[in-house]
Amino acid sequence: MKSHKDLTVYKTSIDLVIDIYQLSQNFPDSEKFGLTSQIRRASVSIPSNISEGAARSSKKEFIRFLYIALGSVAEIETQLEIAYRLKFIKDTPEVVEKIIYIRRMILKLIQSLKE
């Protein structure tokens, strides 16, 4: 691996950030410092932790940051469910598919680093 930018999981997680920003753009103004901010921060956290972990000096540290990114994936799933139930958004199957894909890629990357 030359750089974290070469990782498909990194590129896809950047795409997810764009999706989340576009989705949350229509959340009510009253959620500006609540759910809007939280879901955006969680989405940015995924590629940020992937890149920070890749820059670390050991596989063990990289794996730790990948687990943090995995936690952010779970946060986004929860926050999307809340936004959906509050009727801030409609069903988002494309975004959910991307989230599932990112989770699988992170888990496979962790597994490959452990081998």
Side-chain angles (χ1 to χ4, degrees):
M1 179 179 83
K2 296 175 187 172
S3 162
H4 64 277
K5 291 181 181 181
D6 297 320
L7 294 169
T8 302
V9 69
Y10 173 81
K11 295 173 190 174
T12 307
S13 64
I14 292 287
D15 293 340
L16 178 64
V17 172
I18 304 307
D19 293 342
I20 293 298
Y21 266 74
Q22 290 172 346
L23 267 176
S24 62
Q25 179 175 341
N26 297 319
F27 285 9
D29 289 340
S30 61
E31 287 299 323
K32 183 178 181 180
F33 300 107
L35 192 56
T36 304
S37 174
Q38 198 165 358
I39 197 169
R40 286 178 173 186
R41 281 186 285 117
S43 70
V44 169
S45 177
I46 298 168
S48 297
N49 278 293
I50 292 168
S51 62
E52 186 172 353
R56 296 296 173 136
S57 60
S58 72
K59 286 182 181 181
K60 185 178 178 180
E61 284 186 290
F62 190 10
I63 291 168
R64 185 171 66 86
F65 279 90
L66 290 172
Y67 276 117
I68 294 168
L70 205 54
S72 296
V73 170
E75 276 186 71
I76 292 169
E77 285 179 305
T78 301
Q79 293 156 357
L80 283 175
E81 176 69 22
I82 292 167
Y84 176 75
R85 288 187 184 198
L86 290 170
K87 297 182 180 19
F88 295 167
I89 58 172
K90 295 182 178 167
D91 197 19
T92 56
E94 307 86 22
V95 175
V96 171
E97 283 180 33
K98 195 173 289 181
I99 290 167
I100 292 167
Y101 183 64
I102 289 168
R103 181 190 308 110
R104 286 181 183 152
M105 285 192 291
I106 291 172
L107 288 169
K108 284 181 182 179
L109 183 54
I110 289 169
Q111 184 179 22
S112 73
L113 289 169
K114 285 182 174 181
E115 293 174 352

